[in-house]
Amino acid sequence: MAIRLLTAQIAQKIDEELMSSAGGFSVDQLMELAGFSVAQAVSRVYQRNTHPNVLVVVGPGNNGGDGLVAARHLCHFGYKPKIFYPKQSSKDLYQRLTTQCKNLAIPVLTENLGQELKQTDLILDAIFGFSFKGDIRDPFGDVIKALIESKVPIASVDIPSGWDVEEGPVREPAIQPEMLISLTAPKLCAKHFRGKRHFVGGRFVTPDFEKRFELNLPAYEGTDQVVEIPVQGKL
Amino acid sequence: MAIRLLTAQIAQKIDEELMSSAGGFSVDQLMELAGFSVAQAVSRVYQRNTHPNVLVVVGPGNNGGDGLVAARHLCHFGYKPKIFYPKQSSKDLYQRLTTQCKNLAIPVLTENLGQELKQTDLILDAIFGFSFKGDIRDPFGDVIKALIESKVPIASVDIPSGWDVEEGPVREPAIQPEMLISLTAPKLCAKHFRGKRHFVGGRFVTPDFEKRFELNLPAYEGTDQVVEIPVQGKL
């Protein structure tokens, strides 16, 4: 059975159910597990000795929060991450996640992206996730353009930022990441992913849940928080 | 430099600092990382094919919360955990962690411990942690006695339950676990641990923090959330 690619509506519903009183998860918990899985997936593909300088580009919402958690874990794993975070949220959760990164001496930058990209081995794209729609707001249009023009390899968290969650790269210019880490399950836009490696992270889905939503996820191994799946665009 | 064994006071101070506005962590986050590290450590020593039936014995506080998180991850890792949870807290966090386990069809039991222990391959002792002091309240005196008498191997979370955090096994009868998973750093009582394997879990301590508290923790490898250390009682 093929892995199910989720519509925006189903992705939203799964997220809501996990955090409902029936699911029992807090956003802190899910974000910790999601961000850890992103960091673990990155470490499978880009080694800390060949790609130490990871620029985590953080957006204003939950996808950005996953990025902040991933940055912290990458630092613990021996990478030298920096965070580019031009629109910082006043929400307590994001502020706490930022504090945790600053306490690890991870630089948190708000400008000079072009200069920074010259010293970057890998971009971790955590700008927009599955709830993104409408127009790309400032400054993220320019940010996305700069990431593309830099030619630095990009690993995208859940969705390549700026893509439509179902239709894929409908806005120009579009990110084409080398790596994609889908959280909980891939979204429909993954059909348009033509990069090298695709992982699923977020080992918290119950068998009942997986069955009800017909996710057909592959089995995780050992204590892994990620599992590699075929690149859909190449099928 | 030897790993520092913490007094109760220092352990308390570290916990408070991590969760202060300066540290930025929420209890949900720390418990998720702690519980995951416990499950990962267990999987290093007791395989799911030889020790599938793990009975997680859960106390009324944070040590119990770590146990609930560990039970969930062990289930995802392919073990068949059950939870023995005789004094269930009304606190929202513990109720949510319990819901997450029930959603995985993990049985949550409140009685017939003796019977249950006959079908148990491994006890995960998550009754009391470093903040335990004073007398052992009902029903945990009888529970600890039953765990000891069962002769089933015990893995203890942070502190063998009933031990004094600094003095060790001062109350009779005392648990002597086969495995100890110290969270953040070992406590002074670890000097009295005479089991086989000792791990430290909780990869969230900053270098600054480690230096300031002179923890001298060993280095974690790869994406590991646990690191094995020598058994102190055998030094």
Side-chain angles (χ1 to χ4, degrees):
Chain A
M1 294 262 271
I3 296 168
R4 181 175 185 183
L5 305 182
L6 306 183
T7 61
Q9 199 190 359
I10 295 288
Q12 183 68 33
K13 193 167 159 56
I14 287 176
D15 219 46
E16 281 168 10
E17 281 208 24
L18 285 167
M19 288 190 278
S20 69
S21 61
F25 283 96
S26 69
V27 62
D28 284 48
Q29 259 189 301
L30 289 181
M31 204 168 269
E32 192 63 35
L33 292 171
F36 178 79
S37 73
V38 167
Q40 189 172 58
V42 164
S43 78
R44 295 280 169 88
V45 178
Y46 305 98
Q47 309 307 311
R48 66 179 182 188
N49 53 345
T50 59
H51 292 74
N53 300 303
V54 181
L55 186 66
V56 183
V57 184
V58 172
N62 279 354
N63 200 257
D66 297 335
L68 292 170
V69 173
R72 169 163 43 85
H73 286 290
L74 285 170
C75 182
H76 282 296
F77 297 167
Y79 293 80
K80 298 188 188 310
K82 291 184 185 179
I83 291 167
F84 183 73
Y85 194 7
K87 282 275 180 193
Q88 298 184 24
S89 168
S90 61
K91 273 179 79 173
D92 176 63
L93 171 60
Y94 302 124
Q95 293 204 340
R96 287 192 288 97
L97 294 175
T98 306
T99 296
Q100 293 161 26
C101 288
K102 287 181 176 169
N103 287 346
L104 283 166
I106 299 173
V108 179
L109 315 170
T110 56
E111 48 190 19
N112 294 327
L113 176 61
Q115 206 51 39
E116 200 51 48
L117 284 166
K118 291 178 187 163
Q119 308 159 48
T120 299
D121 303 314
L122 175 70
I123 294 161
L124 186 61
D125 155 30
I127 305 176
F128 301 126
F130 70 81
S131 54
F132 170 74
K133 54 189 169 191
D135 293 324
I136 295 174
R137 289 198 198 163
D138 282 340
F140 293 106
D142 289 342
V143 168
I144 287 172
K145 200 156 163 269
L147 301 185
I148 294 167
E149 285 173 0
S150 74
K151 313 274 189 195
V152 175
I154 298 174
S156 289
V157 176
D158 207 25
I159 310 272
S161 292
W163 283 26
D164 182 273
V165 61
E166 299 181 357
E167 303 299 327
V170 292
R171 294 175 193 84
E172 288 293 336
I175 283 177
Q176 268 295 352
E178 202 169 87
M179 176 181 184
L180 179 61
I181 307 113
S182 296
L183 297 172
T184 314
K187 316 305 173 291
L188 269 174
C189 66
K191 279 192 290 189
H192 300 274
F193 171 59
R194 286 172 174 67
K196 294 178 181 168
R197 311 281 293 269
H198 189 180
F199 289 79
V200 176
R203 194 174 180 178
F204 41 68
V205 175
T206 65
D208 167 65
F209 207 88
E210 203 189 322
K211 197 172 166 188
R212 196 150 49 83
F213 287 101
E214 299 172 335
L215 300 181
N216 304 320
L217 291 171
Y220 289 79
E221 293 199 0
T223 67
D224 288 357
Q225 296 297 295
V226 289
V227 57
E228 190 160 10
I229 62 172
V231 171
Q232 276 74 15
K234 288 182 179 164
L235 289 181
Chain B
M1 296 260 271
I3 296 168
R4 182 175 185 182
L5 305 181
L6 306 183
T7 61
Q9 200 188 357
I10 296 287
Q12 182 69 34
K13 193 167 159 54
I14 287 176
D15 220 45
E16 281 168 11
E17 281 209 24
L18 285 168
M19 286 189 279
S20 70
S21 60
F25 284 96
S26 69
V27 62
D28 282 50
Q29 260 189 299
L30 289 180
M31 203 167 269
E32 192 62 35
L33 292 171
F36 178 79
S37 72
V38 167
Q40 190 172 58
V42 164
S43 78
R44 295 280 169 90
V45 178
Y46 305 97
Q47 309 308 312
R48 67 180 183 187
N49 52 346
T50 59
H51 293 74
N53 300 303
V54 181
L55 187 66
V56 183
V57 184
V58 172
N62 280 355
N63 201 257
D66 297 335
L68 292 170
V69 173
R72 169 163 42 87
H73 286 290
L74 285 169
C75 182
H76 282 296
F77 299 166
Y79 293 80
K80 298 188 186 310
K82 290 184 186 179
I83 291 167
F84 183 72
Y85 195 7
K87 282 275 181 194
Q88 298 185 22
S89 169
S90 61
K91 273 179 78 174
D92 176 63
L93 171 60
Y94 302 124
Q95 293 203 340
R96 286 192 289 100
L97 294 175
T98 307
T99 295
Q100 292 161 26
C101 287
K102 286 181 177 170
N103 286 347
L104 284 166
I106 300 173
V108 180
L109 315 169
T110 56
E111 48 191 17
N112 294 325
L113 176 60
Q115 205 53 38
E116 199 52 49
L117 285 166
K118 290 177 188 163
Q119 309 160 46
T120 298
D121 303 313
L122 175 70
I123 294 161
L124 185 61
D125 156 29
I127 305 175
F128 301 127
F130 70 83
S131 55
F132 171 74
K133 54 190 169 191
D135 293 325
I136 295 173
R137 291 200 195 160
D138 282 341
F140 293 106
D142 289 342
V143 167
I144 288 172
K145 200 155 166 271
L147 301 186
I148 295 167
E149 287 172 358
S150 74
K151 313 273 190 195
V152 175
I154 298 174
S156 288
V157 176
D158 208 25
I159 311 271
S161 293
W163 283 27
D164 182 272
V165 61
E166 298 181 357
E167 304 298 328
V170 293
R171 295 175 191 87
E172 289 291 339
I175 282 177
Q176 268 296 351
E178 203 170 83
M179 175 180 186
L180 178 61
I181 307 112
S182 296
L183 297 173
T184 315
K187 316 304 176 293
L188 270 174
C189 66
K191 281 193 289 191
H192 301 273
F193 170 60
R194 286 174 174 66
K196 294 178 182 169
R197 311 282 294 269
H198 189 180
F199 289 78
V200 176
R203 194 174 181 178
F204 40 70
V205 175
T206 66
D208 168 68
F209 207 88
E210 203 188 323
K211 198 172 167 190
R212 196 150 50 84
F213 286 102
E214 299 172 335
L215 299 180
N216 304 320
L217 291 171
Y220 289 79
E221 294 198 359
T223 66
D224 288 358
Q225 297 297 294
V226 290
V227 56
E228 189 160 11
I229 61 173
V231 171
Q232 277 73 14
K234 286 182 178 163
L235 290 180

